[in-house]
Amino acid sequence: GTTDTYLISSLSDEFRRVWKEITGLDYSNDPISTDAAWDGSLSRFPTLVMQFLPHPEGVVGDQDHYDDPRTVPGLAGLVDLNHPNDVMVAIPPRNYMQRSTSPDGRGAVYTPRIYLDRDDGLGNVLGANFMTGHDVLFDMDRSRIGFAESGCDYAGLV
């Protein structure tokens, strides 16, 4: 496994366009310094939402279909009426922005840990920063993966 997420390069142009529109910054994996204009709050950065096609057989979970996918948490439902059974996974900035001390030692810098240069033929790599806050099920027998939001509250479980 890996801690970072690597997306195929064909997604890069659109990702960078929307990032710039939302943040006012050009996207890169260079550290972003805090300054007088920015207090270091992660609210400056968007929650990223990844949309996945359901399994090729059209099966979501163990259901053949849902009468109303708008009522199923984690499905596109009302967000994408043309693809309501697509799976949506949210990645908040606290998961993909790595905080570290600035080179001068006087402040903090944040580094985006989503890379946009993976060869399309190799597919995407979903790292720990993508999976954090989710229960992830790897169904090797049926060649599929499932996601559910998780509170990760271990103390509440024991």
Side-chain angles (χ1 to χ4, degrees), residues 2 4-8 114-118 123-127:
T2 181
D4 299 332
T5 293
Y6 299 84
L7 301 179
I8 55 175
I114 294 180
Y115 297 88
L116 305 173
D117 56 359
R118 188 155 167 88
N124 298 306
V125 175
L126 306 176

Side-chain angles (χ1 to χ4, degrees), residues 2 6 16 19-21 26 28 58-59 64 74 76-77 79 89 94 99 110 113 119 132 135 137 158:
T2 181
Y6 299 84
R16 290 174 195 279
W19 179 272
K20 173 88 174 191
E21 181 180 308
D26 290 325
S28 79
V59 176
D64 291 322
V79 176
V89 178
R94 70 178 175 273
R99 186 180 192 275
Y110 288 90
R113 301 306 297 242
D119 183 276
T132 299
D135 290 325
L137 173 68
V158 291

Side-chain angles (χ1 to χ4, degrees), residues 3-154:
T3 56
D4 299 332
T5 293
Y6 299 84
L7 301 179
I8 55 175
S9 59
S10 61
L11 299 175
S12 178
D13 288 347
E14 183 66 6
F15 186 102
R16 290 174 195 279
R17 183 191 69 74
V18 173
W19 179 272
K20 173 88 174 191
E21 181 180 308
I22 292 171
T23 67
L25 302 170
D26 290 325
Y27 187 85
S28 79
N29 297 104
D30 295 332
I32 302 168
S33 298
T34 57
D35 57 26
W38 175 46
D39 65 1
S41 166
L42 289 177
S43 64
R44 176 179 192 171
F45 302 104
T47 293
L48 305 176
V49 179
M50 303 288 190
Q51 183 171 348
F52 297 91
L53 296 171
H55 192 271
E57 297 171 6
V59 176
V60 177
D62 291 325
Q63 300 287 90
D64 291 322
H65 72 283
Y66 287 96
D67 292 332
D68 189 355
R70 297 172 299 178
T71 64
V72 180
L75 295 186
L78 292 172
V79 176
D80 185 345
L81 296 176
N82 293 321
H83 305 98
N85 286 307
D86 285 5
V87 176
M88 309 288 279
V89 178
I91 312 165
R94 70 178 175 273
N95 293 2
Y96 69 83
M97 296 295 286
Q98 180 181 13
R99 186 180 192 275
S100 55
T101 303
S102 63
D104 65 10
R106 291 194 230 160
V109 294
Y110 288 90
T111 305
R113 301 306 297 242
I114 294 180
Y115 297 88
L116 305 173
D117 56 359
R118 188 155 167 88
D119 183 276
D120 282 27
L122 297 174
N124 298 306
V125 175
L126 306 176
N129 61 355
F130 172 89
M131 294 183 209
T132 299
H134 296 90
D135 290 325
V136 182
L137 173 68
F138 296 92
D139 184 347
M140 303 305 277
D141 293 337
R142 295 166 73 182
S143 299
R144 60 188 191 165
I145 186 171
F147 304 97
E149 287 188 11
S150 169
C152 296
D153 179 16
Y154 179 75

